[in-house]
Amino acid sequence: MTISALRPRPDHIAELTKGVSLPLEPISRLHMQIVAETVSRIWIELRSAHNEMLSVGTEAEINALLEAKLNALYGNDPIWSQLVATVARGKETLSYNGLHLEKRPDLSIFLTRRHPSFPIVVECKIVDKNARKGVDLYCANGIARFVKGEYAWANREAMLFAFVRDGATIDGQLSAHLYNASRQSADPCQTLCLPKQLAGMSSDTRASSHARSFSYQAPNHTSPPGVIELWHLWLA
């Protein structure tokens, strides 16, 4: 891509968001919970069938298994089929200002009764300090992308899945890292609330909240993006 191509594209954002108000209305917490609990259940099944792959595979290999397994639920799981239209891996999307036309979040979960241009966006990261993929990268290449408006900029919520190989936990390593970053003069994650347990969840899921300081570029949207809630599902 040439330097001249790296420019905001308010016309693209205006067309993409025509007829909707930004940020979008929150996704039902029940629906978010169903997604997290379903992925947690599917992970157990994948562990049984593909344990070696999950233990040594790349993020792309694991995401491909998740995509296939979740899409196989359509028509077989009544609740999932009512809620989710499809799951896509690496679906191209625009950044908040159209500067980037080909951002590719790991998974996009398209809900049946949600605007088709704005799925639940999921970033997936291997957490393994022995492979130099620690919590710092989970934050810098995961959380920060939502904060900066690269992903899920129209939404009020998003998800991160961690494939944990070193015994790290949300309450331990992630919360400590976010707390330390929040004490810096410029917090790259802009954390407002550290990950907290969600009521009624059986999976190891927590939610944190983060400020977003970018501004929508389309002339038909003047409200700030507001806070984004990030759901963290850590799978081992």
Side-chain angles (χ1 to χ4, degrees), residues 6-65:
L6 289 174
R7 66 183 189 280
R9 296 177 176 86
D11 291 344
H12 287 69
I13 301 301
E15 286 297 324
L16 181 65
T17 60
K18 185 177 291 184
V20 303
S21 297
L22 297 181
L24 299 173
E25 289 298 311
I27 295 173
S28 164
R29 294 186 72 83
L30 175 60
H31 293 168
M32 294 287 287
Q33 180 175 339
I34 290 172
V35 170
E37 297 282 60
T38 300
V39 171
S40 183
R41 171 170 57 86
I42 288 300
W43 181 260
I44 295 172
E45 296 177 10
L46 287 173
R47 268 292 181 200
S48 177
H50 307 284
N51 185 59
E52 183 177 357
M53 172 59 71
L54 298 187
S55 298
V56 301
T58 64
E59 289 172 7
E61 289 174 318
I62 299 172
N63 293 340
L65 284 175

Side-chain angles (χ1 to χ4, degrees), residues 67 87-94 101-110 116-117 119 121 151:
E67 177 193 34
V87 178
R89 182 169 58 94
K91 175 70 171 65
E92 289 185 353
T93 185
L94 281 68
L101 300 174
E102 298 175 329
K103 303 303 295 184
R104 295 182 177 89
D106 290 314
L107 296 172
S108 297
I109 301 175
F110 293 88
S117 293
V121 176
Y151 297 156

